[in-house]
Amino acid sequence: MGTLHDVLGRFVPPSSRSFHGLYSEVIALRDDVRTLSDEVWKLREQNMDLQKRCSELNDFGHLCRGDLDAHDAHMKLMMWNAMRRDGETLEETKKAFFGQLSTDDERMLLLQRGNSQLLFDFSELCKQLGIEYWLMFGSLLGAVRHGGFIPWDDDLDVGMTRDDAQKLANAVNGDNRYRISSVFDYFAHCWQLRFMYSDEDNPCFIDLFIFDFSKDVDAASFEKLLSLRAAMIDEMDSKPELKNWVNVPNLNAEDGSLLAAEISDIFNRYRKQARDLGVGGRSSERSDGLTYAIDNFYDPSDGVLSYAFDDIFPTARLQFNGVEVNVPQRFQMLLAHCYGDIYELPRDINTHYEHVSKEQLADEKARAAILRQLNKE
């Protein structure tokens, strides 16, 4: 019976009521399509109008940026000319201006004094151990431009080879005056090393950045290292075994935990791959220079951190808040490479990252610890 019904349904015309019902549905569907088509046209017109407005805003933005840049240049020109003394070159005026800048924040001044003392002690220890180091990044910029700390800066950046970092760590293990903090930083995907006083209430520290011997020191080789670092970060972010790292973002690298072991294993594997690229040899033989290690934190604004040996050695000496410290031999070239004109007015006066928070500086224990160390000297 079912089969006969199906055959009749295919060949026998539908009833008049069914036919009119179907016809009404088709008409309604056609009206819906027409309505949708009208709405699409309206949206297209609105989109075209929006694109036009965006284009006008973009043109206006370019115009404003041009006016602001011109205004900025005019203000700088007026300022420098107003400060310029008779017979003084513009470069001398700029150097004098930056040289006299300082902070009026007493807590920041105390931290900078404490860090300067730590830098002196660190430098003396390195001299005793035969370890080479050199100031980097903002610390190098501060030494050249300000004769010490950039007024709104609160930390110290130092570079050294991986072998010398290990030599320093071995020496500190037997020295009750100092300690080295070894941390796996989740947010920066780096191995963070800091030289500190043994007094844990004292917030002063020096960031140690590791350099490896490298076969080549050109931009193309460094770009390959950055690509390898990006692959390492991707693996860290996707590996199930590391999902709990976010809960301990500053993980003690030497706490003996399974998590620390997993992270250490990834760093070791990628260091080996870096060596395969020619970065990470343990000897200066068959190497052209030094390259920023894959396990450091890297900011794209830092550019190519790969140097020929004679860019760094023999290290020069500069004053840093009354302390004579090591800087790269060609420090002017390295600063120009990183920052351009170092006597341009800086943009980060109000936005510079605080390595030691104002709350921590206000802590009486921290202040007392810094003062205790200063009074020892």
Side-chain angles (χ1 to χ4, degrees):
M1 189 68 180
T3 303
L4 179 59
H5 183 272
D6 292 340
V7 172
L8 290 174
R10 291 176 59 189
F11 296 103
V12 177
S15 67
S16 175
R17 181 181 297 176
S18 299
F19 178 79
H20 284 294
L22 180 60
Y23 179 76
S24 298
E25 289 178 10
V26 170
I27 294 298
L29 183 59
R30 189 175 64 182
D31 290 341
D32 288 343
V33 170
R34 184 180 293 116
T35 301
L36 285 172
S37 180
D38 291 342
E39 292 296 328
V40 168
W41 274 106
K42 288 179 183 178
L43 287 172
R44 288 182 62 184
E45 290 174 353
Q46 291 173 2
N47 184 51
M48 291 173 66
D49 183 59
L50 183 60
Q51 287 181 358
K52 181 181 177 182
R53 289 176 181 272
C54 286
S55 179
E56 291 171 350
L57 283 172
N58 191 43
D59 292 341
F60 180 70
H62 282 299
L63 183 63
C64 287
R65 280 194 293 274
D67 288 344
L68 287 172
D69 288 343
H71 181 269
D72 186 44
H74 295 159
M75 292 299 100
K76 287 178 182 177
L77 183 62
M78 291 173 63
M79 186 197 77
W80 292 129
N81 283 334
M83 295 184 62
R84 199 167 176 176
R85 299 174 181 175
D86 291 341
E88 193 174 56
T89 66
L90 180 58
E91 183 178 357
E92 288 170 340
T93 302
K94 290 182 176 182
K95 286 182 178 180
F97 169 78
F98 281 104
Q100 66 187 9
L101 280 180
S102 63
T103 178
D104 57 1
D105 186 329
E106 291 185 2
R107 292 174 297 183
M108 177 69 86
L109 281 171
L110 178 60
L111 179 63
Q112 290 177 350
R113 284 180 59 204
N115 268 329
S116 296
Q117 183 60 52
L118 179 63
L119 180 59
F120 173 77
D121 293 337
F122 169 82
S123 185
E124 288 297 301
L125 181 61
C126 287
K127 187 187 299 182
Q128 295 168 15
L129 297 171
I131 288 175
E132 286 280 16
Y133 75 91
W134 55 93
L135 292 192
M136 292 183 60
F137 302 132
S139 299
L140 178 59
L141 177 60
V144 174
R145 194 172 69 185
H146 302 272
F149 274 102
I150 298 173
W152 48 93
D153 199 5
D154 63 353
D155 75 323
L156 290 163
D157 301 321
V158 160
M160 62 174 52
T161 66
R162 191 178 295 276
D163 283 345
D164 276 344
Q166 185 60 59
K167 187 175 181 180
L168 178 66
N170 292 340
V172 166
N173 281 339
D175 192 327
N176 61 11
R177 296 172 297 173
Y178 311 111
R179 61 193 171 97
I180 288 183
S181 166
S182 178
V183 166
F184 291 139
D185 187 324
Y186 169 79
F187 296 108
H189 293 86
C190 73
W191 178 41
Q192 179 195 89
L193 287 176
R194 286 180 170 175
F195 181 86
M196 312 164 94
Y197 287 119
S198 56
D199 184 350
E200 295 191 5
D201 288 330
N202 192 324
C204 297
F205 68 88
I206 298 172
D207 271 325
L208 305 178
F209 293 98
I210 306 304
F211 279 76
D212 288 318
F213 293 108
S214 54
K215 184 175 180 296
D216 300 301
V217 291
D218 55 273
S221 297
F222 191 68
E223 196 62 38
K224 291 178 182 177
L225 183 69
L226 292 184
S227 296
L228 187 60
R229 175 169 168 76
M232 180 185 74
I233 292 172
D234 286 343
E235 180 175 342
M236 287 177 166
D237 286 341
S238 62
K239 205 171 179 63
E241 293 86 343
L242 305 189
K243 65 180 181 180
N244 291 326
W245 190 8
V246 67
N247 299 320
V248 196
N250 294 305
L251 177 66
N252 182 349
E254 299 171 353
D255 70 355
S257 68
L258 183 59
L259 178 58
E262 291 282 356
I263 297 170
S264 181
D265 177 66
I266 293 176
F267 274 123
N268 286 331
R269 284 193 288 107
Y270 278 90
R271 286 186 200 116
K272 183 179 183 304
Q273 291 183 53
R275 287 196 294 273
D276 293 339
L277 290 176
V279 177
R282 303 304 296 269
S283 168
S284 60
E285 295 180 12
R286 297 186 301 279
S287 298
D288 288 342
L290 296 167
T291 293
Y292 197 64
I294 195 171
D295 31 10
N296 292 319
F297 167 70
Y298 178 76
D299 187 315
S301 65
D302 293 332
V304 178
L305 299 176
S306 196
Y307 308 116
F309 287 122
D310 54 7
D311 290 339
I312 306 292
F313 306 116
T315 53
R317 302 279 281 178
L318 285 179
Q319 288 288 320
F320 191 98
N321 283 17
V323 178
E324 196 173 62
V325 293
N326 291 1
V327 297
Q329 174 66 25
R330 295 178 177 169
F331 60 87
Q332 294 283 12
M333 183 196 77
L334 268 61
L335 284 176
H337 180 72
C338 253
Y339 300 103
D341 182 0
I342 65 171
Y343 293 106
E344 274 292 303
L345 294 175
R347 297 178 181 272
D348 67 341
I349 291 177
N350 294 321
T351 59
H352 189 80
Y353 179 75
E354 291 181 350
H355 295 85
V356 180
S357 69
K358 289 183 174 61
E359 291 76 15
Q360 190 175 358
L361 285 178
D363 183 355
E364 191 53 42
K365 284 186 177 180
R367 289 172 52 80
I370 296 174
L371 288 170
R372 276 199 305 273
Q373 190 62 47
L374 290 171
N375 291 333
K376 285 181 183 178
E377 309 305 330

